[in-house]
Amino acid sequence: MNKEVKYSCPSNIALVKYWGKKESGTQLPANPSISWTLNDLRATTRMVISPVVNGESPTVKFYLANKEKPSFLPKIETFLKRVTPEFGWISEHHFEIYSENNFPHGAGIASSAAGFGALASCLVALDGQWEESDPVFWEKASKFARLGSGSACRSVYNEPGLWGEFEEVLESTDDFAIPYSGSIHPNLQGWKDAVLIIEDGEKSVSSTAGHALLKEHAYAEARYKQAHKSLSALLSSFKTGDVQQFIEIVESEALQLHAMMMSSIPYYVLMKPNTLEAIEKIWKHRNETLIPMCFTLDAGANVHLLYDGRYHEQIQNFINTELLPYCQNGLYLCSDTGGKPIKL
Ligand code: DP6
């Protein structure tokens, strides 16, 4: 009997960055991180399983936007293999996986967080041991998403996803992300993200290769320490609503991530001239208008403009008049923060 299930899952943007993995274990972070999910940037995945019969070998087929993509199979097969110790039935089934993103493919947006979040949610639902109302459902989804791509584990909660052992939050763990349950001041609720597509296409260094650069990195230990400090200060800004402090941490985290990349061997400069132009404009506009806004970056050239949603109109105007010239093909994508996987 075939069984199937379909989930959509949001992408996420880190406020304190995961950059570097522990030497031991599988996909364990060298430092704690926290992110907001991006409700409007989603992957939707339909997973169909059928039992293996007559000694057949199990097969996996993957389709992105209805096109078969064998190039994605190595990552997906590794992912399924890593989950098999917990869900033995995986090795006794054929898989057909149909995935699509609601943002343009090749827009330079990391789709792996949304993609693995959706895949992991499908697996936990197919397994059937837990209801969505049981927190264990989401712990498992987060853990399995992590085994596909580390940052994906933070994509399964409405609340900010906190991943990695952190001394100030007792329940925090490297194994899966947890929903941040502390208070969040109204000043830091309802923020939005406008992703300025500075450059579309493949990244010049994959995140997985990027993480590996930390192994021999002269500044790795200092960076990990700094991430703990950043997280502590960020959580304090959540509580107090100190937007200045929030902005300082988020921007510093983005620049630290890039600084680590620039100071590794081999070294990479992932920002483009237009990345810096956009950042300068954001700073200038913030100084002039005092609108609560800041930038962050992932491991690429695109700029995430985070802003208080109450200023949506003004920010749209600002983007359209001042930032579009720096966006490739005038493309930017807007999203609310928050949101979690949805069963379809
Ligand atoms: C720069 O999760 O993509 O976006 O675990 O190797 O799949 P793997 O890497 P990935 O790393 C993303 C790192 C980052 C920062 C972050 O999201 O915290």
Side-chain angles (χ1 to χ4, degrees), residues 14 17-19 21 27 149-151 154 207-208 211 257 298-299:
K17 306 292 181 182
Y18 149 56
W19 201 237
K21 301 184 191 191
Q27 300 267 80
S149 176
S151 58
R154 300 182 312 231
S207 298
T208 306
H211 288 287
L257 167 69
D298 59 18

Side-chain angles (χ1 to χ4, degrees), residues 173-246:
T173 163
D174 288 346
D175 214 27
F176 48 83
I178 57 168
Y180 174 67
S181 60
S183 64
I184 300 182
H185 192 279
N187 286 354
L188 289 166
Q189 289 182 24
W191 278 49
K192 292 180 190 283
D193 186 2
V195 192
L196 311 174
I197 309 300
I198 305 291
E199 188 186 56
D200 55 18
E202 290 292 308
K203 293 177 178 177
S204 54
V205 54
S206 75
S207 298
T208 306
H211 288 287
L213 296 172
L214 278 264
K215 280 192 192 141
E216 304 290 327
H217 202 298
Y219 307 146
E221 287 309 316
R223 160 63 200 154
Y224 301 148
K225 261 199 200 136
Q226 195 55 43
H228 283 255
K229 280 195 184 162
S230 294
L231 185 52
S232 176
L234 189 99
L235 296 186
S236 144
S237 73
F238 273 170
K239 281 195 186 78
T240 61
D242 185 337
V243 176
Q244 280 308 105
Q245 187 186 29
F246 173 84

Side-chain angles (χ1 to χ4, degrees), residues 305-325:
L305 170 56
L306 300 172
Y307 60 95
D308 184 330
R310 283 167 288 207
Y311 297 85
H312 186 60
E313 296 289 308
Q314 288 100 308
I315 294 291
Q316 292 299 301
N317 257 333
F318 165 55
I319 295 173
N320 288 324
T321 55
E322 301 207 43
L323 295 176
L324 278 198

Side-chain angles (χ1 to χ4, degrees), residues 107-119:
I109 297 198
S111 54
S112 62
F116 280 109
L119 279 175

